[in-house]
Amino acid sequence: MSLVRAVSTTFGTYMLADYLSNFIQHPTQKMDYGIFNKLIGREVGNAWWGTRTEHIVGVAACLAVTDHMSQGIFGKILGRPLCFEKSPAPFIAHTFLFIFSGVTVYVAADAALNPDHEGKRTEEFKSGTYSSMSAPAPPGSSRMFPRHCHSSARFDPTMSLSKAVATTFGTYMCADFLSNFIQHPTQKMDYGIFNQLIGREVGNAWWGTRTEHIVGVAACLAVTDHMSQSVFSKFLGRPLCFAKSPGPFVAHTFIFIFSGVTAYVAADAALNPDHEGKRMEEFKSGTYSSYVGSNTAFFEPYVSPALAKVAGTGIANSWFGSALLPATLAYSTVKGVGWYDWGDSGLNDLEMKINKLTTGHKA
């Protein structure tokens, strides 16, 4: 197929995909298609800017170009056409790069040209670029680096289930704790009852603190990780392994992260006394953040191989290199992007107070 025809076909496919996705995202709502509203008997506001039609055409055009440009670049580097089966790692990198760059190009064009953004164009570009970063994980992404057939928590198939889950639980708690130093390098955190050990004020002893999150999320993820591995292994008839079963492993990765974090969100929404009167709203908000954040962990499989290039395979294959470091970085993006938990953002009331950002907090 000629390049022009290939790009045109991709453009049409992406337009159709964007249009159909509206029925998944908004199954009972009526959409604004701008000038085309006339054809379906709906009121026309803006004919183009800020409508679903602008998004459908604009994003598809940008993605069609960046998709084929990226394929061409990776194809030249590899010396053969880019193919997931033969080159899963480059293909995953290509997928994120073309989606992020394509959507960001559209965001930049819309921020610069849309008259509705007059006076706030920079803010629109920054906000849109951040949203572009939370695009769904590309095909073939996983939390396990490809050349090993164990989880990022270093699960040994010969290890007892209880010991394996306990090891995973400990790894995830350490990763969550360490990720706070990446997300909030200069801020003081609220560790609840443990604040008294480091000379900080204690607000709530448990609920709404970093300690609740560290213990609760790690416990849920440890269970869903091993449950999902077991289900997929039984289905495949062999231990789940990214190198041998990339498709099922990708499904397992998203399922266990999303379900584990969402289980924690549900428990916190149901039990946390601070959510009294707004429990369903907390659950819905947390579930959405869980979905957005879970989609950002696609890079995790490549942390250990990258480390091997710098520090050698010994460190890369250790518990630190293959489990703790990848999990810590993944925690940072899942929390940071899903809940916008960076710097002075995402702090609870006590953290705002002890960082001198406000004078009061909830008791």
Side-chain angles (χ1 to χ4, degrees):
M1 186 185 300
S2 68
L3 179 60
V4 173
R5 185 178 177 186
V7 173
S8 298
T9 300
T10 303
F11 174 54
T13 299
Y14 287 152
M15 281 202 299
L16 182 60
D18 195 348
Y19 172 72
L20 293 175
S21 71
N22 289 325
F23 294 97
I24 299 174
Q25 299 169 260
H26 308 282
T28 62
Q29 289 77 28
K30 297 176 181 178
M31 299 290 97
D32 173 18
Y33 293 106
I35 194 171
F36 294 105
N37 283 354
K38 294 180 179 179
L39 303 179
I40 50 179
R42 292 179 190 166
E43 177 184 352
V44 177
N46 287 340
W48 175 260
W49 298 111
T51 67
R52 299 283 167 171
T53 300
E54 179 207 353
H55 190 277
I56 289 170
V57 176
V59 173
C62 294
L63 287 180
V65 173
T66 57
D67 188 352
H68 287 277
M69 285 181 62
S70 179
Q71 283 190 51
I73 292 171
F74 275 93
K76 288 184 177 180
I77 293 174
L78 295 171
R80 62 174 182 273
L82 183 63
C83 172
F84 175 71
E85 287 77 12
K86 295 181 179 179
S87 307
F91 193 90
I92 292 171
H94 146 74
T95 305
F96 173 76
L97 288 172
F98 98 77
I99 292 176
F100 174 66
S101 59
V103 175
T104 303
V105 168
Y106 166 76
V107 165
D110 179 68
L113 302 174
N114 190 333
D116 294 338
H117 300 328
E118 189 65 44
K120 54 178 180 178
R121 299 192 186 280
T122 300
E123 291 75 9
E124 286 293 329
F125 174 69
K126 290 180 179 178
S127 173
T129 301
Y130 175 81
S131 296
S132 176
M133 275 292 292
S134 59
S141 66
S142 72
R143 58 184 280 281
M144 178 188 288
F145 48 95
R147 46 189 183 159
H148 294 276
C149 290
H150 47 69
S151 75
S152 65
R154 298 288 290 180
F155 173 56
D156 182 348
T158 64
M159 189 186 298
S160 69
L161 180 60
S162 59
K163 186 176 180 181
V165 172
T167 301
T168 304
F169 174 54
T171 299
Y172 289 153
M173 281 202 298
C174 291
D176 195 349
F177 173 73
L178 293 174
S179 69
N180 289 326
F181 294 96
I182 297 175
Q183 296 167 256
H184 306 282
T186 62
Q187 289 77 24
K188 298 175 182 177
M189 299 288 94
D190 172 19
Y191 292 106
I193 194 171
F194 295 107
N195 281 355
Q196 56 192 331
L197 301 179
I198 51 178
R200 292 178 190 167
E201 176 184 350
V202 177
N204 288 340
W206 174 261
W207 298 111
T209 67
R210 300 284 166 171
T211 299
E212 179 206 353
H213 190 278
I214 288 170
V215 177
V217 173
C220 293
L221 287 179
V223 172
T224 58
D225 189 350
H226 288 278
M227 284 180 62
S228 180
Q229 284 189 51
S230 177
V231 170
F232 275 93
S233 294
K234 288 182 179 179
F235 177 78
L236 294 170
R238 62 175 182 271
L240 182 62
C241 171
F242 177 73
K244 296 179 179 178
S245 306
F249 194 89
V250 171
H252 148 74
T253 302
F254 176 78
I255 288 171
F256 102 78
I257 294 178
F258 175 66
S259 60
V261 176
T262 304
Y264 166 78
V265 164
D268 179 68
L271 302 175
N272 190 333
D274 293 339
H275 300 328
E276 188 65 44
K278 54 177 181 178
R279 298 192 186 281
M280 185 53 67
E281 290 76 8
E282 285 293 329
F283 174 68
K284 290 179 179 178
S285 173
T287 299
Y288 177 76
S289 295
S290 172
Y291 171 75
V292 172
S294 297
N295 279 315
T296 67
F298 66 89
F299 67 88
E300 189 177 3
Y302 306 102
V303 174
S304 185
L307 184 62
K309 297 287 186 181
V310 177
T313 57
I315 294 178
N317 292 338
S318 67
W319 171 75
F320 169 80
S322 66
L324 182 60
L325 180 60
T328 299
L329 297 178
Y331 258 100
S332 298
T333 63
V334 171
K335 292 191 298 177
V337 176
W339 279 263
Y340 200 70
D341 191 17
W342 305 105
D344 291 338
S345 298
L347 305 180
N348 68 21
D349 291 341
L350 178 58
E351 289 170 340
M352 295 286 285
K353 180 182 179 182
I354 62 180
N355 286 288
K356 296 182 172 53
L357 298 172
T358 186
T359 56
H361 69 280
K362 294 179 182 178

